[in-house]
Amino acid sequence: MNCRTKKFAGFLLFFVFTTTALMAQVNQTKVTDSELDKFATVFQHMRMMDQEIQREMMQVVEDEEMDIQRFNKLYKANMDPAVDANPSKEEQEKYKNIVAEIEKMQVDFQKKMEKTISDSGLTVERYQQIATRLQKDPELQERLKSALKS
């Protein structure tokens, strides 16, 4: 076998192995109707949970006697040094208290989400795989819409 033939054979083997691996991934990500129904149920439940946590976070901001818009401006300034919010010392303290409370809430929310997923019969990993696939697969999006209606 000459050098060109070896290179071609090597490329061909690489192509076959790569194609086989990709096909295996595609087959693993195929979403069954049962999985999609579970996903839809979890998705709806999480939307309700998200609305609840949003209300609770707004309440935390209000409990610290800070305006929501002001909190959002301080948050943006904290994330982007180019944004100047000129917070007073009192606002800085309130902001720190709010963020600390929200971080605790987010940890609790994450645990609730994971429990909701596992209670449905899906794993968190599988839920994420389906969510990722939904971003790129119009047919799967349509199937989800149908599952959400039923």
Side-chain angles (χ1 to χ4, degrees):
M1 214 184 268
N2 68 28
C3 185
R4 263 177 92 169
T5 306
K6 286 181 184 178
K7 284 182 182 178
F8 179 76
F11 174 77
L12 184 61
L13 280 173
F14 173 77
F15 179 77
V16 169
F17 286 121
T18 304
T19 304
T20 304
L22 288 174
M23 291 304 289
Q25 279 184 323
V26 168
N27 289 337
Q28 287 175 349
T29 59
K30 185 158 183 77
V31 180
T32 66
D33 289 339
S34 173
E35 286 177 318
L36 195 60
D37 288 341
K38 291 174 185 178
F39 183 93
T41 301
V42 170
F43 181 78
Q44 288 175 320
H45 190 66
M46 282 194 197
R47 283 188 1 203
M48 289 185 293
M49 288 170 51
D50 184 55
Q51 290 172 353
E52 179 183 329
I53 192 102
Q54 293 293 327
R55 283 191 298 274
E56 290 175 14
M57 286 191 275
M58 287 175 59
Q59 188 61 52
V60 168
V61 174
E62 290 172 7
D63 288 349
E64 282 289 331
E65 299 176 353
M66 184 178 282
D67 181 68
I68 298 292
Q69 286 80 16
R70 182 62 178 157
F71 173 80
N72 287 337
K73 185 166 185 163
L74 293 173
Y75 179 79
K76 287 178 185 175
N78 194 49
M79 294 292 120
D80 181 0
V83 175
D84 189 17
N86 293 325
S88 67
K89 288 188 186 241
E90 182 183 353
E91 283 181 320
Q92 289 173 354
E93 189 62 32
K94 287 180 179 182
Y95 177 81
K96 283 188 348 186
N97 293 340
I98 292 167
V99 169
E101 187 63 31
I102 288 174
E103 286 174 352
K104 289 179 197 172
M105 293 169 70
Q106 288 174 330
V107 169
D108 187 46
F109 181 65
Q110 180 72 28
K111 289 177 184 175
K112 285 180 183 177
M113 285 175 32
E114 290 172 1
K115 183 173 179 355
T116 299
I117 293 169
S118 64
D119 287 351
S120 77
L122 293 172
T123 64
V124 173
E125 178 184 34
R126 184 61 179 150
Y127 183 87
Q128 291 170 339
Q129 287 172 347
I130 295 169
T132 300
R133 175 119 182 249
L134 275 163
Q135 295 173 1
K136 301 173 187 172
D137 188 338
E139 184 225 335
L140 188 58
Q141 293 168 11
E142 289 302 316
R143 287 176 54 206
L144 178 61
K145 285 179 189 176
S146 295
L148 289 169
K149 289 178 185 177
S150 55

